[in-house]
Amino acid sequence: MHTTDDVLFTQREVQAALEKFDSWKAPEEDALTNDILIRVFRSFPFFFTEVYKEYLHRGHFPQQWKRSIIHPIVKPGKEGISDVRKYRPINLINTGGKLLEKLLINRINHHVHTNKLLNTNQYGFIPQSSTVDAAMAVEQYALSHIQQKKYVIMVSLDVLGAFDAAWWPCILCNLRALNCPRNLYNLARSYFNERVAILHNNTCRAERNVMAGCPQGSCCGPGFWNVLYNDLLNMKYSSHTKLIGFVDDFAILTYGTTLSEAEAYANSDLATIEKWAWDNKMKFNEAKSKAVIITRKRRRDKINIFLNNRSLEQVEVMKYLGIHFDSRLLFYKHVEHVAEKSRALTYMLNRTAKLQWGLGYKSLKTVYEGAVVPLMTYGTPIWEGAITKNKYL
């Protein structure tokens, strides 16, 4: 690395990172809780800060902090499946190491955000950005072209393994391309070197060296994921295509004056994405990826959109970031879905609200404002036009 070093960590910076930790979080192998670490810092703030400054100065991430205990959590709705992918691996990381991760990724994020180095089409883990912003960008791009009587093909990509598939050499290569300060880069390189994952239960224990993946439960995972995917967003695509991402949820929007033209551009750019995935040891899951034609024209032919040499499923309604995008961009299906879910939730609340027993008015109001209102109003800037019709109002 030919870049200069970043300034060392400050006492105020360490304190701010520590105070954001939850004291109730479970400890890892060393049994040190967040509360204990905060008490140590308050007793020896200068010494504590100097230790972390030295880690950054040397570009060294301690080996004992690279060990994580994995707790497999069954994903909702997949309890009866025998496939190992039904589990979400949550990592318990030593508190001292988690603090060093937080300090490191805060500095890297500050570098990329202040210098505006990340692609503006990535909305995940970005300050003042949300899923609604990403979904609005999809809606506005598609709407601008179908109003000109063009065809838009929208493809949603599903990453096989998601965070577990992040290849470390690619992340480090992208950090170099982003001119990451030298000491931050060296600390990140040490962080990725010789990591160990531990899985144990009442009868056995297994330890494995880990070579890829952003640990779920780590502080660095989200920031490193954005660094990795920034390269994909910056690839050269046709002028007819736009990629919009929220973390690992990607939407590819391609327009054309004819359906065959849009199809040709979409397949060409998907081939570029396939090559990027191959080069970075990742794979997009063609079985879960889908395509939809968005147009106000009546003619709807079948299209052949290919990913990994397989034709993607063509649908009439695609759910992206919680919003149901239909083939005419009218969002009637989304309104029906929200109404049905709200109806079920309201019925459940009604059963608990009785004259003689059950939840009181204040409790019901809290549940209503915390559950029903967010459900009904999520993404309203996108689909508000649907309720201009009395039926959907």
Side-chain angles (χ1 to χ4, degrees), residues 26 100 116 122 143 185 190 213 271 292 381:
L100 187 54
K116 298 181 179 179
Q122 172 62 274
L143 187 62
Y185 174 83
S190 175
V292 61

Side-chain angles (χ1 to χ4, degrees), residues 96-195:
K98 190 174 284 190
L99 175 59
L100 187 54
E101 282 186 37
K102 189 70 174 176
L103 293 168
L104 169 63
I105 203 62
N106 282 350
R107 285 292 186 89
I108 291 175
N109 284 337
H110 181 265
H111 170 72
V112 297
H113 291 316
T114 53
N115 293 292
K116 298 181 179 179
L117 300 175
L118 292 184
N119 193 292
T120 55
N121 290 327
Q122 172 62 274
Y123 292 86
F125 304 129
I126 301 294
Q128 299 177 344
S129 291
S130 67
T131 54
V132 175
D133 294 313
M136 281 184 68
V138 170
E139 187 252 357
Q140 288 168 4
Y141 185 82
L143 187 62
S144 66
H145 291 293
I146 66 171
Q147 285 176 341
Q148 299 175 26
K149 298 184 179 180
K150 295 177 181 177
Y151 292 90
V152 175
I153 295 176
M154 178 179 173
V155 177
S156 69
L157 287 184
D158 181 80
V159 185
L160 192 64
F163 276 48
D164 299 332
W167 191 39
W168 296 344
C170 178
I171 295 175
L172 292 173
C173 180
N174 289 348
L175 284 174
R176 290 195 297 270
L178 295 170
N179 293 318
C180 180
R182 181 172 52 192
N183 52 359
L184 293 177
Y185 174 83
N186 290 335
L187 186 57
R189 184 173 60 181
S190 175
Y191 169 79
F192 287 131
N193 188 40
E194 298 180 350
R195 294 193 66 85

Side-chain angles (χ1 to χ4, degrees), residues 260-302:
S260 58
E261 182 187 34
E263 182 181 355
Y265 279 118
N267 280 317
S268 173
D269 290 322
L270 278 171
T272 302
I273 293 171
E274 274 185 50
K275 184 180 183 304
W276 178 89
W278 175 267
D279 292 340
N280 292 279
K281 301 188 183 301
M282 296 182 70
K283 186 179 180 182
F284 291 102
N285 188 355
E286 66 278 359
K288 291 186 176 180
S289 300
K290 295 177 173 57
V292 61
I293 303 170
I294 301 175
T295 180
R296 294 285 168 85
K297 298 181 179 181
R298 294 195 175 191
R299 185 182 174 188
R300 300 184 182 282
D301 295 330
K302 180 174 174 55

Side-chain angles (χ1 to χ4, degrees), residues 63 120 125 157 161 178 228 230 244 291 305 343 352 355 376:
Q63 190 62 42
T120 55
F125 304 129
L157 287 184
L178 295 170
L228 170 67
N230 193 58
I244 295 171
I305 302 297
R343 216 173 275 122
T352 65
L355 291 176
M376 295 185 69

